[in-house]
Amino acid sequence: MRRFAALLPLALLAAAPPAPNGNWASYGGPDENHYSPLSQINTANVKQLGLAWFKDINDGGSALSAPIAVDGVLYFASGTSHVRAVDAATGRELWHYDAQAWKVAGHKMRAAWGIRGLAYDAGRVFFGTMDGRLIALDAKTGRLAWQSMTVEPDDERYISGPPWVFKGKVIIGHGGADFAPIRGYVTAYEQKTGKQLWRFHTVPGDPAKGFENQAMEMAAKSWSGEWWKYGGGGTVWNAMAYDPRYNRIYIGIGNGSPWNRKIRSPQGGDNLFLCSIVALDADTGEYVWHYQTNPENSYDFNNAMDIELADVTINGKLRHVLIHAPKNGFFYALDRETGQFISAGEFAKQNWAKRIDPVTGKPEINPDSLYEDGKAFVIYPFPNGAHGIQAMSYSPKTGLSYIPVM
């Protein structure tokens, strides 16, 4: 893997960096762009760093989870379901909690990714388990405050990403569309009690049963056949971002289920909201706007990668933008208020699209990449994507985005 620094495709000037803050309370960082303004360690003194303490961790398995830090305490996950708090200055363990997912997850242990992220707010630490529970712990004691099952007991969903916290709420998605017929959704809960507040489905269900909202009715027009029998997919299995400026939560939506569009939607269609960024009202979960990167997607490309928020000057005007580098190899900038497409540029080798229309933002798909009638095609990026769950970042100091590229 190589590090790749990409300047947004238009002439951008960085806005002023935020004031330094020693806390890193959630996956995306203080401003949802994986940027830390702390400057105590720099190129002049980094050579003076040395080992302060270490701690052996023998929980087995692996947790692909970045730690969070709040008020001098470091919280981190390990194994399949362990969470610990340690004094950041000394490494002294303050508490340890084991959600014991291995006892209840059953065959969902095949995913075995462990806890994929933590979030802190109002004195509590939140995380999800592979068996589908969203858990809240008291940040000082590690005692269980509440837990809510976010999936049905007999379905194939499992939590594979971090929760997001905002305005007394905590929101979580799930994975599983690669294993079984699943219809994706995100769910918001009350931080104090674990009570479900709202849920937004990402693809439409059976029209005969009615639609939950106008967004699902609109999305259904972009499907064909009996897609609901296959679930449709569209899981939100990793990244989201909260935008206090517009009081919105942005969700990155996954691939279709099954991958092959000719099975799930045989007469064609864009299949909304697969492979899209969707903006929701943070209070109600109502649809605001969407942008789809891969209509008719028959690959495992999706938009579960990081969503970064930035304020930048484009052609002399300050814009509040969302930047995103998903699996498909293109780097996107969208207007956060309207969802309007601003630009897209390649950050890795790709051959599934001939180009991205600079006005509509829709891709001109290379027909050979859809492997019609069994015709073989060597596609770039490869199925894991040009950029996966590895964290990208945006620096308001340099005006650059930093992307791990495969």
Side-chain angles (χ1 to χ4, degrees):
M1 186 182 297
R2 62 193 176 93
R3 189 176 69 174
F4 183 89
L7 185 65
L8 286 175
L10 296 178
L12 305 186
L13 296 175
N21 186 322
N23 291 340
W24 192 281
S26 63
Y27 176 82
D31 293 286
E32 297 283 22
N33 55 24
H34 285 97
Y35 171 80
S36 171
L38 301 180
S39 58
Q40 184 179 4
I41 299 171
N42 52 51
T43 55
N45 62 21
V46 65
K47 62 184 178 182
Q48 300 174 25
L49 293 181
L51 178 67
W53 56 263
F54 71 92
K55 181 178 179 60
D56 288 325
I57 304 169
N58 300 303
D59 297 326
S62 63
L64 302 178
S65 171
I68 58 175
V70 180
D71 297 337
V73 178
L74 191 69
Y75 304 90
F76 65 92
S78 58
T80 56
S81 56
H82 297 266
V83 177
R84 283 182 167 84
V86 300
D87 184 293
T90 66
R92 179 174 65 89
E93 184 171 302
L94 304 177
W95 53 256
H96 167 222
Y97 181 85
D98 182 4
Q100 298 186 324
W102 55 273
K103 282 188 176 181
V104 294
H107 65 274
K108 294 184 181 182
M109 286 291 289
R110 64 190 171 191
W113 285 317
I115 296 168
R116 293 285 284 269
L118 306 172
Y120 172 96
D121 199 16
R124 287 183 174 173
V125 174
F126 303 89
F127 65 97
T129 64
M130 68 180 69
D131 57 282
R133 287 172 292 160
L134 178 63
I135 294 178
L137 304 178
D138 183 283
K140 289 187 177 180
T141 65
R143 294 193 183 98
L144 178 68
W146 55 260
Q147 58 181 337
S148 294
M149 180 58 72
T150 71
V151 304
E152 296 301 321
D154 57 349
D155 70 17
E156 295 291 321
R157 306 171 203 270
Y158 53 87
I159 293 178
S160 57
W164 258 259
V165 289
F166 54 95
K167 297 184 67 176
K169 305 175 184 66
V170 53
I171 187 172
I172 193 73
H174 62 81
D178 292 329
F179 294 124
I182 281 177
R183 182 187 180 203
Y185 57 70
V186 293
T187 314
Y189 296 85
E190 186 177 71
Q191 285 185 12
K192 291 183 178 180
T193 65
K195 174 186 175 183
Q196 181 175 322
L197 298 175
W198 54 259
R199 172 169 288 175
F200 180 84
H201 287 88
T202 59
V203 296
D206 184 351
K209 297 180 180 179
F211 299 111
E212 290 86 356
N213 48 51
Q214 291 182 346
M216 288 297 97
E217 184 176 3
M218 172 189 70
K221 297 176 182 178
S222 68
W223 292 73
S224 62
E226 296 178 314
W227 70 86
W228 58 91
K229 292 184 178 180
Y230 302 96
T235 57
V236 183
W237 56 265
N238 189 43
M240 295 180 259
Y242 172 64
D243 186 351
R245 175 177 292 277
Y246 298 110
N247 191 36
R248 292 173 186 165
I249 183 80
Y250 306 110
I251 59 176
I253 299 177
N255 54 276
S257 178
W259 288 2
N260 194 331
R261 190 270 303 160
K262 294 181 72 175
I263 298 174
R264 67 174 186 267
S265 187
Q267 283 78 52
D270 288 350
N271 289 190
L272 296 173
F273 295 105
L274 296 182
C275 305
S276 301
I277 299 291
V278 175
L280 304 176
D281 182 282
D283 293 332
T284 64
E286 293 179 359
Y287 165 89
V288 180
W289 58 254
H290 79 276
Y291 173 75
Q292 187 178 46
T293 62
N294 283 89
E296 302 182 39
N297 182 18
S298 285
Y299 333 110
D300 189 27
F301 294 164
N302 61 69
N303 291 75
M305 287 71 244
D306 285 0
I307 299 169
E308 314 285 2
L309 308 184
D311 298 335
V312 296
T313 300
I314 303 176
N315 297 331
K317 180 181 179 181
L318 182 66
R319 300 283 295 272
H320 308 296
V321 303
L322 178 155
I323 54 181
H324 183 55
K327 281 186 174 182
N328 70 17
F330 283 93
F331 179 64
Y332 297 87
L334 308 176
D335 185 283
R336 280 157 40 198
E337 182 178 10
T338 64
Q340 177 189 5
F341 171 80
I342 297 174
S343 63
E346 295 181 25
F347 69 90
K349 181 177 179 179
Q350 70 80 30
N351 61 2
W352 66 269
K354 295 183 177 180
R355 69 177 190 129
I356 305 295
D357 187 291
V359 177
T360 67
K362 295 201 72 169
E364 182 181 345
I365 299 173
N366 179 353
D368 291 340
S369 72
L370 298 177
Y371 50 91
E372 300 284 356
D373 302 319
K375 181 181 178 182
F377 182 77
V378 179
I379 191 170
Y380 289 88
F382 78 129
N384 285 8
H387 172 223
I389 62 168
Q390 304 84 5
M392 65 177 281
S393 65
Y394 168 77
S395 168
K397 185 176 181 179
T398 65
L400 296 174
S401 284
Y402 302 87
I403 309 166
V405 176
M406 294 184 287

